[in-house]
Amino acid sequence: MLFGNKSSGAEWILAGLGNPGEKYAKTRHNMGFLTVDLLAEKQGVKLNKVKFKSAYNILHFGGARVLVMKPQTFMNLSGEAVGEAARFYKIPPERVLVIYDDISLPVGKLRVRPSGSAGGHNGIKSLIAHLGTDQFPRVKIGVGDPGGAPGERDMIDWVIGVPSQAERKTLLEVFGRAIDAAECIIGQGDCQKAMNLYN
């Protein structure tokens, strides 16, 4: 089999990005963590194995064996964890699917992309550095922005802030759609159909 042996191999990586620890658990920057946690819950498993600087498990999802991971490196070093897992399982970048927050999208808007720049997102910057390419699919979850004049400090406070109750309600529904989009990408082997359905 192309991607290692059947019993333990993974054919895809699905990485939800975020920051570890209770302090960050429900913040805007943890949309990726919250989405893959919901996926694991739906499948009745826990992401409780520890390797690749991550909490992870291997799930059957989208017709494939998928390493679902939450890097524990903190957001800005996410690529260390994802790169290590990709090398271990010999998974090419086009089968590394990443779910993360995006401040340039309105709250609850999804955007599926087959590739692209980091767009100022440090987690994605780290992934591009460690995978050596920006040619990997992603599902972005809009968290809105704080508005006002651009200021680095405001932006950091915003992404590590907790969404309002109204935003949380919207985001909870979006996690389910993000999972559906991820399943479509993995099942189809490319992003086109998911882009048509979910963008």
Side-chain angles (χ1 to χ4, degrees):
M1 194 172 144
L2 192 54
F3 298 99
N5 69 57
K6 262 198 172 103
S7 62
S8 63
E11 299 163 277
W12 278 78
I13 288 173
L14 173 57
L17 303 190
N19 285 311
E22 201 48 50
K23 178 183 174 187
Y24 298 106
K26 295 185 167 51
T27 60
R28 292 182 180 90
H29 229 10
N30 273 36
M31 297 297 108
F33 273 19
L34 293 166
T35 302
V36 295
D37 279 340
L38 178 62
L39 168 60
E41 191 184 305
K42 284 181 168 204
Q43 294 223 358
V45 299
K46 288 191 183 327
L47 303 178
N48 57 1
K49 295 183 177 180
V50 180
K51 198 177 179 179
F52 318 116
K53 299 177 185 159
S54 295
Y56 81 98
N57 215 324
I58 293 184
L59 279 59
H60 286 277
F61 179 62
R65 289 180 59 77
V66 181
L67 176 81
V68 180
M69 64 190 296
K70 293 161 57 178
Q72 301 294 294
T73 53
F74 286 92
M75 179 64 86
N76 295 2
L77 301 174
S78 299
E80 289 181 10
V82 177
E84 194 181 316
R87 285 189 298 276
F88 182 86
Y89 285 109
K90 297 180 173 54
I91 293 175
E94 61 272 17
R95 285 178 174 246
V96 175
L97 174 56
V98 188
I99 300 179
Y100 62 100
D101 61 290
D102 190 333
I103 57 167
S104 68
L105 295 172
V107 175
K109 173 88 176 138
L110 275 192
R111 174 97 11 104
V112 176
R113 285 280 178 266
S115 60
S117 72
H121 194 289
N122 289 332
I124 298 301
K125 244 180 241 176
S126 176
L127 258 92
I128 291 170
H130 285 270
L131 293 174
T133 180
D134 65 2
Q135 301 294 301
F136 53 88
R138 67 276 312 253
V139 176
K140 307 191 249 189
I141 297 175
V143 294
D145 68 43
E152 187 67 29
R153 189 71 246 157
D154 294 343
M155 211 42 90
I156 291 168
D157 288 345
W158 179 256
V159 296
I160 62 169
V162 175
S164 69
Q165 203 162 352
E167 288 172 338
R168 282 203 296 272
K169 191 168 181 288
T170 302
L171 289 165
L172 274 173
E173 291 164 8
V174 165
F175 297 153
R177 290 185 63 234
I179 289 168
D180 292 344
E183 188 169 20
C184 181
I185 293 164
I186 291 168
Q188 297 289 320
D190 73 49
C191 285
Q192 198 52 57
K193 185 174 181 190
M195 287 166 70
N196 295 342
L197 288 172
Y198 297 100
N199 281 355

